[in-house]
Amino acid sequence: MLYYFLPAIILLGIITSYGDILRTTALLHIYKNEHVTWVTDKRAFPLLEGNPYIDKLLGYDFTTAFQLISEEFDRVINLEKVPGICALSDKIHTRKSRYGFTFNTQTGNAEALDGASKALAIGTNPILKRQNKKIFHELLFEMLGKKWKREEFMLGYQPKSEEVYDVGLNTTIGPKWPTKKWPEKYWNKLEQLLLTKGFIVTRQDSGENEKKGILKNLEIYIDWINSSRIIVSSDTLGLHLGIVLKKKVLGLFGPSPSREVYFYGRGKAIFPEPIPDCLPCFKSQCERGKNCMEDISPEKVYEEVKILNENRNRSP
C-alpha cells in the first residue's frame, strides 16, 4: 500500500511486499523537488532510510493514522487496494488531487480513480494479469498520469560490504508462493558447477550467513547481496535488490510474471523448458503435478551465468 501527499508527499507501504515498496521508489523521480513523507511498515525502513528524495519517513501505527487525517497535502496517492487503507486515504485532506484507489462506501470495496482502472483490473483478474505485457513501472506511472521513461528505483540503505564473490545464490523464498522455489538439489548442482570452474560462490542459506542473521536483518541481507557481482534468484526481494544495486542478475521465473520485471539491461529472466501453457499461473500450489520450476535445469542457469560473466569482463 502506498500513499503520496504533496508538498509533504506521503507514501504508505504498510502491507505491500518489500519488493513492491522498493520498486515503487521509482516514483520519487517525479517528486524530487517536493517535500515527501513516506509511511510504511517499520521493518521496511532500511529500503527507504537515507533516500535523498524522502523528507519524512514514518512507521504506520494507530497514532500515525490519526496524524495523517489531521494534516493536509496537495496530492494524495494511494496505491493500495485494501479497503481499510483506501478508507483511511479518503479521510486525508488534499488541496489538489487524488490518485490510485478509493473506498466505495456502499460496497465496502476498493475502486480505481482515474488512471488506475487498468492496474485494478490486472491486479484482481488472473486472466488479465496473465495477458498483461506491461512492466510494473509502466502501470505504476500510468496511475499518476505519467509515462515511465526507464527511471530506476532507489535504495535508501547504503551497503557497507564490498564485492568479494563472483556469484551470489539467493536460495530462499517467502512463504506466500512456495511454487517459486527452485529445488535445493538444483541449487547444489549449480553451486558445484560454478565452483568446479573457479567461480567464488556464496549462498544465502549457508550456515555462515544464517549465523549472521541474514534472514532476520534486512541490512545484513542487503550487504550480502552487494557482496557479489552476479546474483541468481527466484522472483523475490533478492532479485529486486540485485537490480537496484546494479548487479548482473538472473531471475528464475515460473508461476510469477517476468514481463513485469525490468532488468535495465543488466540481466534476464530464465524460464522452464519447455514453457508450460499455464505459465504464469499465480498459484501457491501447482495443479499440473510437477512444479514448473523443476524444468529449469542447473546446466542452463550455469551457461547463462557464464555469459553474464563474459559480457561483464568485456565491458570497458
Side-chain angles (χ1 to χ4, degrees), residues 200-227:
I200 304 173
V201 181
T202 178
R203 284 182 62 145
Q204 180 190 15
D205 60 353
S206 70
E208 179 182 357
N209 283 324
E210 288 182 351
K211 288 180 181 178
K212 292 179 180 178
I214 192 172
L215 298 179
K216 299 178 180 179
N217 186 298
L218 195 50
E219 293 179 353
I220 293 175
Y221 182 44
I222 294 170
D223 281 336
W224 175 76
I225 291 286
N226 192 59
S227 68

Side-chain angles (χ1 to χ4, degrees), residues 34-227:
E34 307 290 345
H35 187 281
V36 177
T37 299
W38 193 314
V39 182
T40 189
D41 185 333
K42 289 184 178 180
R43 292 173 296 180
F45 273 21
L47 301 176
L48 306 174
E49 283 180 319
N51 191 306
Y53 298 155
I54 298 176
D55 299 278
K56 184 187 295 185
L57 183 61
L58 300 175
Y60 181 80
D61 55 26
F62 191 70
T63 303
T64 300
F66 270 96
Q67 176 181 333
L68 298 182
I69 62 177
S70 299
E71 294 188 44
E72 185 176 53
F73 303 92
D74 284 343
R75 297 176 182 85
V76 175
I77 304 173
N78 171 29
L79 305 181
E80 180 56 63
K81 298 182 288 293
V82 174
I85 297 170
C86 292
L88 170 61
S89 173
D90 290 349
K91 297 293 185 183
I92 298 171
H93 304 288
T94 176
R95 291 190 292 267
K96 293 184 178 179
S97 54
R98 295 182 186 274
Y99 298 97
F101 303 104
T102 185
F103 182 68
N104 186 314
T105 57
Q106 293 182 323
T107 66
N109 297 321
E111 283 189 350
L113 295 168
D114 291 344
S117 297
K118 186 169 185 178
L120 179 61
I122 291 173
T124 56
N125 188 319
I127 295 176
L128 293 178
K129 192 166 181 64
R130 286 190 66 186
Q131 295 173 346
N132 174 50
K133 298 185 183 302
K134 290 194 173 184
I135 293 168
F136 175 89
H137 292 104
E138 291 181 286
L139 293 170
L140 192 64
F141 275 62
E142 286 177 3
M143 293 173 66
L144 276 65
K146 305 291 184 179
K147 182 177 176 59
W148 178 59
K149 300 177 181 178
R150 304 297 189 271
E151 290 93 341
E152 297 207 22
F153 46 106
M154 300 172 283
L155 180 64
Y157 174 74
Q158 297 303 303
K160 299 177 177 60
S161 61
E162 297 181 355
E163 283 188 353
V164 294
Y165 301 101
D166 296 315
V167 185
L169 305 181
N170 190 64
T171 57
T172 304
I173 62 165
K176 182 179 178 180
W177 276 12
T179 47
K180 288 183 181 180
K181 184 175 179 60
W182 203 40
E184 183 177 359
K185 63 181 180 181
Y186 287 17
W187 285 114
N188 294 341
K189 177 66 173 179
L190 175 61
E191 182 181 23
Q192 182 182 36
L193 289 169
L194 292 169
L195 291 173
T196 299
K197 294 300 181 179
F199 286 89
I200 304 173
V201 181
T202 178
R203 284 182 62 145
Q204 180 190 15
D205 60 353
S206 70
E208 179 182 357
N209 283 324
E210 288 182 351
K211 288 180 181 178
K212 292 179 180 178
I214 192 172
L215 298 179
K216 299 178 180 179
N217 186 298
L218 195 50
E219 293 179 353
I220 293 175
Y221 182 44
I222 294 170
D223 281 336
W224 175 76
I225 291 286
N226 192 59
S227 68

Side-chain angles (χ1 to χ4, degrees), residues 166-167 199 229-232 247-251 263 265-270 301-315:
D166 296 315
V167 185
F199 286 89
R229 294 189 295 111
I230 298 172
I231 297 295
V232 181
K247 306 297 179 178
K248 296 292 186 179
V249 180
L250 291 176
F263 289 87
R266 298 189 290 270
K268 63 182 296 186
I270 301 178
V301 180
Y302 167 68
E303 292 299 324
E304 294 292 347
V305 170
K306 286 202 305 180
I307 292 171
L308 277 186
N309 186 61
E310 291 167 0
N311 289 342
R312 184 184 188 281
N313 290 337
R314 284 199 293 265
S315 299

